[in-house]
Amino acid sequence: MTPSDEPTLSPRLTALFAAACGVIVANIYYAQPLIAPIAAELGLPPRSAGLIVTLTQLGYGAGLLLIAPLADLVENRRLTLAAIALAALGLLGAGLLHGPAAFLACALLIGFGSVAVQVLAPLAAHFAPAARRGRVVGDIAMGIMLGIMAARPAASFLAAETSWRTVFFAAAALMALTAAALAVGLPRRQPESRVGYGALMASLIGLAARTPVLQRRAFYQACLFAAFSLFWTTVPLFLADAFGLGQRGIALFALAGVSGAVAAPLSGRLADSGHSRAVTALALVVAAVAFLIANLAPAGAPMALALLVAAAVLLDFGAQAHLVVGFRAIFALGGESRGRLNGLYIASFFLFGALGSALGAWAYADGGWRLASAIGLAFPVVALAAFAFERQR
């Protein structure tokens, strides 16, 4: 397909991209509010409960390094459908199998296959005109954020009415429907690159080393996503322990975070207007403020719960705002390496997300919410320090 033959990114096609990305990325987050019942049934000790989320994030990170770069080599629709099939297999296994080792292996596969979303996102940017790329990326990112934020309350509500296993069966069915819609509506794109897979993978090191924009954006988003993952891994435990909330209450709390999705289209438009640095500063500041206000009232008090809701909204807003700015910056670097750049960008911060989840579960088990939130605060503070140094250079 030559550039002149490539399809125009119509509103309908943009909506398909956004919806598919949201449904696929939700796979990574269904388990977050279900850590307690899953760990109890599987026999995982509290300090190891974070592995339920961490393994999915590690699988996603592995997929970003091993599958996402193939978007520069393999026909994109076929690659997307193959990855979705892997995610569906992992979801079915998580619902059917018993024992911690089997579940964690399925969690790894769920994350690995859900990397399909990071084949779709750069594909949408490829079809978008340069002048509208930030807006398109913002719309796609809003779909991703809605999927992330809706996954938690949906999983909590469904688990409360049935069981946590039903959540994974329902997610597998959604993958089948998504694959069918993409098979019909997704345009084909055959990359022009003819290098082998080994050479493609070897190029990742040089690409990361010589791309300072990627390095900066990946570091800022890594810090934000580590804080984001720590918060959403530990806050369900804190809500249950300090406020006595069950799965329905935790689901209602998670719904509050959905409002953070408005950051996506706003930051995309601001980035198109040349305000990327201002959005970056705002994202890092609001993430730090989120953890500060989360500790202003005594645990269990009504005001403490209100402040936690505000913290969730601010943290999600910050993580989403910079995600879009980072996407726009790296997608502008060149179409021939867009899949690899995207894979490196997302893989770096998902590895930090896995670290945040693991640290959060450990810190909460040993020192409660105070220790966990102090570690969460450290991540955006470090990023702010790096951002201030960058501005002085």
Side-chain angles (χ1 to χ4, degrees):
M1 180 181 289
T2 64
S4 60
D5 295 329
E6 287 175 351
T8 302
L9 197 65
S10 64
R12 183 176 180 180
L13 185 54
T14 302
L16 175 62
F17 273 112
C21 286
V23 172
I24 296 167
V25 80
N27 295 333
I28 309 168
Y29 297 93
Y30 290 128
Q32 278 188 341
L34 307 178
I35 285 177
I38 294 174
E41 184 170 333
L42 296 180
L44 280 171
R47 290 185 181 181
S48 301
L51 290 174
I52 293 168
V53 176
T54 299
L55 264 292
T56 305
Q57 292 174 327
L58 288 175
Y60 195 72
L64 286 161
L65 292 175
L66 299 174
I67 294 180
L70 285 170
D72 294 334
L73 186 64
V74 176
E75 197 281 307
N76 285 192
R77 183 172 63 181
R78 188 168 72 249
L79 179 62
T80 300
L81 295 177
I84 290 174
L86 290 177
L89 183 63
L91 290 162
L92 278 175
L96 289 170
L97 300 178
H98 296 269
F103 180 90
L104 293 176
C106 289
L108 197 69
L109 186 59
I110 291 168
F112 192 71
S114 296
V115 78
V117 72
Q118 297 307 333
V119 179
L120 289 171
L123 181 60
H126 176 81
F127 291 137
R132 293 181 55 244
R133 188 165 290 138
R135 179 174 298 187
V136 168
V137 169
D139 291 342
I140 302 301
M142 184 174 182
I144 292 173
M145 191 63 177
L146 286 173
I148 292 171
M149 301 311 302
R152 290 187 286 262
S156 292
F157 280 128
L158 187 56
E161 296 299 326
T162 55
S163 75
W164 63 264
R165 292 185 182 276
T166 307
V167 174
F168 291 95
F169 293 140
L174 274 176
M175 286 302 94
L177 292 173
T178 302
L182 291 174
V184 173
L186 192 65
R188 293 176 59 86
R189 179 195 172 234
Q190 177 62 56
E192 296 179 2
S193 176
R194 292 294 180 266
V195 301
Y197 183 65
L200 189 77
M201 297 304 296
S203 70
L204 292 175
I205 298 173
L207 202 58
R210 65 174 183 267
T211 314
V213 171
L214 172 66
Q215 295 163 11
R216 290 194 300 271
R217 292 298 169 189
F219 179 72
Y220 299 150
Q221 191 63 27
C223 290
L224 285 167
F225 199 67
F228 175 93
S229 295
L230 181 147
F231 181 91
W232 284 107
T233 298
T234 56
V235 81
L237 302 173
F238 183 48
L239 291 169
D241 293 341
F243 300 91
L245 297 186
Q247 286 300 326
R248 291 182 182 85
I250 293 171
L252 290 172
F253 178 89
L255 278 173
V258 176
S259 60
V262 302
L266 290 175
S267 44
R269 285 157 177 75
L270 286 170
D272 280 342
S273 302
H275 300 294
S276 293
R277 294 189 63 81
V279 176
T280 301
L282 177 64
L284 296 174
V285 168
V286 298
V289 169
F291 282 100
L292 290 173
I293 68 171
N295 287 284
L296 292 180
M303 180 57 70
L305 184 58
L307 289 171
L308 273 176
V309 171
V313 173
L314 288 174
L315 183 58
D316 293 350
F317 186 96
Q320 182 69 5
H322 183 266
L323 176 66
V324 174
V325 170
F327 270 143
R328 188 186 187 281
I330 64 169
F331 288 164
L333 295 177
E336 72 284 351
S337 57
R338 195 167 281 141
R340 283 166 289 169
L341 288 167
N342 182 65
L344 288 167
Y345 176 55
I346 308 293
S348 61
F349 72 71
F350 255 87
L351 290 175
F352 268 65
L355 173 64
S357 295
L359 280 176
W362 167 82
Y364 187 82
D366 274 20
W369 174 249
R370 289 281 181 181
L371 178 59
S373 59
I375 296 172
L377 173 62
F379 286 112
V381 168
V382 169
L384 272 170
F387 181 74
F389 174 73
E390 177 195 335
R391 295 196 66 177
Q392 292 172 2
R393 288 188 298 174

